[in-house]
Amino acid sequence: MEKIIIAIDGPAGSGKSTTAQLLANRLNYLYIDTGAMYRAVTFLAMKNGILDDPEAIVKRLMDTKIRLMYADGITQVFLDDEEVTQELRSREVNDQVSYISKIKDVRKELVKRQKKMGENFGVVMEGRDIGTVVFPHAKLKIFLIANLDIRAERRLNEVAQKGANISLVDVKENLQSRDHIDSSREVDPLMKAPDAYTVDTTELTIEQQVEYIYGLAQEILKKG
């Protein structure tokens, strides 16, 4: 059966990662978390003390291999041969990633790498510009949304499970800031593709989200 590219976009906390992972597993597709790539560049910049130097960040990125390996429900991220998976979910990275994502040449380079990853199809790729920039001709595009309070609670639970200590108010403020930056940046802003299905996950379970998108994928695959 033909394999397609499924693009899933949406703001932080809308359920992109978990939905995309489970959907990819069900379809036996490759799962790619593009947000992890931007987090990796953010960590790379922090590690090298160049957060305020876009040119140096781009130069370092060009000399660094970012590798994603998905197994047992976890996306492991490597910078060259160093695994940095745990470091990418730190509050420091979380606070800076939207700013790094605004750098034009960082986006240009990562989009090129993302296109390469999906060139053989059979991919579920999630991020903020997949359906509009990375794969504008994807056969199935999904735009996930959710109430800000629900997104904040989800993110708080996520960071709490990793042992981080942060308040719900701080999480909500961070999400609001990221929403503004991601939606207003000049280069590849977060926006819904005209032909994307909007899925409001506020009152949906993960299973319901996955089932709905899986059904859409099956309809497309049956049509060939």
Side-chain angles (χ1 to χ4, degrees), residues 21-91:
Q21 289 171 19
L22 294 175
L23 181 65
N25 285 343
R26 188 163 177 182
L27 290 167
N28 196 27
Y29 278 19
L30 175 65
Y31 162 65
I32 300 175
D33 176 4
T34 61
M37 299 176 73
Y38 287 99
R39 287 176 175 274
V41 178
T42 304
F43 177 73
L44 185 68
M46 293 171 58
K47 179 182 178 182
N48 288 277
I50 53 175
L51 269 175
D52 297 325
D53 190 341
E55 289 188 8
I57 293 171
V58 174
K59 185 177 185 301
R60 180 70 65 171
L61 170 60
M62 300 300 286
D63 293 333
T64 304
K65 180 180 179 181
I66 298 175
R67 182 164 56 92
L68 306 181
M69 186 170 69
Y70 180 69
D72 299 324
I74 298 173
T75 297
Q76 293 178 296
V77 186
F78 297 81
L79 289 173
D80 292 326
D81 294 324
E82 178 188 3
E83 185 185 353
V84 295
T85 310
Q86 294 301 318
E87 289 87 340
L88 301 193
R89 288 296 173 181
S90 71
R91 182 174 182 178

Side-chain angles (χ1 to χ4, degrees), residues 37-38 41 53-63 66 99-114 129 185-188:
M37 299 176 73
Y38 287 99
V41 178
D53 190 341
E55 289 188 8
I57 293 171
V58 174
K59 185 177 185 301
R60 180 70 65 171
L61 170 60
M62 300 300 286
D63 293 333
I66 298 175
Y99 293 100
I100 296 297
S101 300
K102 291 172 60 177
I103 301 173
K104 180 179 179 180
D105 287 336
V106 167
R107 298 200 70 85
K108 182 178 178 180
E109 174 62 19
L110 291 188
V111 166
K112 181 173 72 174
R113 298 187 191 190
Q114 290 156 14
D129 61 351
R185 64 178 177 238
E186 293 183 10
V187 183
D188 306 339

Side-chain angles (χ1 to χ4, degrees), residues 3-8 20 23-24 27-34 114-126 130 134-135 138-140 217:
K3 288 191 174 183
I4 62 174
I5 290 175
I6 300 175
I8 300 181
L23 181 65
L27 290 167
N28 196 27
Y29 278 19
L30 175 65
Y31 162 65
I32 300 175
D33 176 4
T34 61
Q114 290 156 14
K115 286 179 180 289
K116 182 72 174 177
M117 290 176 179
E119 64 184 7
N120 294 319
F121 288 50
V123 167
V124 179
M125 186 176 289
E126 55 107 340
I130 312 306
V134 184
F135 292 118
K139 289 287 185 70
L140 178 56

Side-chain angles (χ1 to χ4, degrees), residues 9-16 19 144-146 151 154-155 199 201 209:
D9 292 304
S14 57
K16 297 189 304 296
T19 299
L144 298 184
I145 60 173
R151 291 195 287 132
R154 291 172 180 171
R155 184 50 54 88
V199 180
T201 70
Q209 294 166 210

Side-chain angles (χ1 to χ4, degrees), residues 12 19 37 59 92 125 132 136 152 156 160 162 182 190 195 219:
T19 299
M37 299 176 73
K59 185 177 185 301
E92 292 76 16
M125 186 176 289
T132 54
L156 182 65
K162 294 178 171 59
D182 291 341
L190 167 66
D195 54 344
E219 289 179 12

Side-chain angles (χ1 to χ4, degrees), residues 163-176:
N165 184 19
I166 184 172
S167 72
L168 181 60
V169 172
D170 286 342
V171 172
K172 187 181 292 188
E173 288 179 352
N174 178 263
L175 288 177
Q176 288 177 313

